[in-house]
Amino acid sequence: MTVKTRVEVTPTAANILAVWNRATAEQIAEGMEWYGVAHTLALELSPADVHRGAGILAALSPNESWERNVILARRTIAEHGLTGGTLGNSVTKANAILAGAEPLSVMGKGLKTRSFYVNIADPLDDTTVTIDRHAYDVALDLKNAENDRLSLTPKRYEAFSVAYRGAARTLGILPSQVQAVTWVAWRSRVCSLVTPARTS
């Protein structure tokens, strides 16, 4: 039996810009406003403290589509805490943030979740990049790469962030905007190739 070895590949700004250049005008418009819209939602969830709203959204994001993420966050507020519906660890963190814990203090070391929180809480942040599976695939130009992704160690995560910051400099916009636009474009492309059950 042949064992497939996963090869370390470098994420590049060129790969990211190639996806950007294929994005439609509608995808660019949606992505450019994505974190601003998410920030407004965080304020809606927690008018007195956007960090609490952003923290709840980020804490509930692992393994969830954005649509399901929003539903769970609204339930957390409406029901004064969750008892289930997603990963137990996510529920614990969201409930702690709802109760007043500082978001980053309960999120652990998950770089994607921590970055997602920062980008929602401060859409004008010019450094932090949320690297999820779609952002990973964009930067490496991978297609349906479930079995080819390497775990994102801090060193790898920073390499991906550097690539997105480089693309952002070329375009003259924020790294989070580059990530959001290419995320929208890539997700649309990938989801058109898979069954509805695989689109989240």
Side-chain angles (χ1 to χ4, degrees):
M1 182 177 70
T2 301
V3 177
K4 182 178 180 181
T5 301
R6 292 184 295 177
V7 178
E8 185 87 42
V9 182
T10 303
T12 68
N15 286 336
I16 296 164
L17 290 169
V19 175
W20 174 282
N21 289 333
R22 291 194 298 266
T24 66
E26 291 77 12
Q27 290 166 344
I28 291 173
E30 179 183 349
M32 289 294 287
E33 297 297 325
W34 204 95
Y35 283 107
V37 171
H39 180 84
T40 298
L41 174 61
L43 274 173
E44 176 191 326
L45 294 170
S46 180
D49 184 1
V50 70
H51 293 278
R52 184 171 77 154
I56 291 169
L57 285 164
L60 294 169
S61 67
N63 289 3
E64 298 290 354
S65 68
W66 174 243
E67 294 75 16
R68 176 68 178 165
N69 193 171
V70 172
I71 289 169
L72 290 168
R74 292 190 190 281
R75 277 182 50 198
T76 301
I77 299 297
E79 299 174 11
H80 307 288
L82 287 180
T83 57
T86 189
L87 300 174
N89 197 34
S90 298
V91 169
T92 299
K93 291 174 182 179
N95 288 341
I97 294 167
L98 180 67
E102 196 279 321
L104 290 178
S105 73
V106 298
M107 283 186 185
K109 297 180 180 179
L111 293 172
K112 177 264 176 181
T113 306
R114 294 171 72 89
S115 297
F116 197 40
Y117 158 71
V118 171
N119 286 148
I120 294 172
D122 181 10
L124 299 180
D125 181 280
D126 62 0
T127 302
T128 307
V129 188
T130 299
I131 309 296
D132 68 355
R133 62 193 178 96
H134 292 314
Y136 181 109
D137 293 350
V138 165
L140 295 179
D141 192 29
L142 297 175
K143 284 88 173 173
N144 298 321
E146 295 292 345
N147 296 322
D148 294 320
R149 297 191 192 99
L150 296 167
S151 61
L152 281 178
T153 62
K155 182 178 179 179
R156 286 196 192 109
Y157 197 99
E158 179 58 18
F160 278 84
S161 298
V162 166
Y164 276 91
R165 288 195 286 266
R169 283 193 298 273
T170 297
L171 294 166
I173 60 176
L174 295 169
S176 60
Q177 291 174 320
V178 177
Q179 179 264 316
V181 169
T182 54
W183 181 90
V184 169
W186 188 268
R187 188 177 73 153
S188 176
R189 174 187 176 194
V190 170
C191 289
S192 70
L193 302 175
V194 297
T195 61
R198 295 281 306 280
T199 59
S200 61

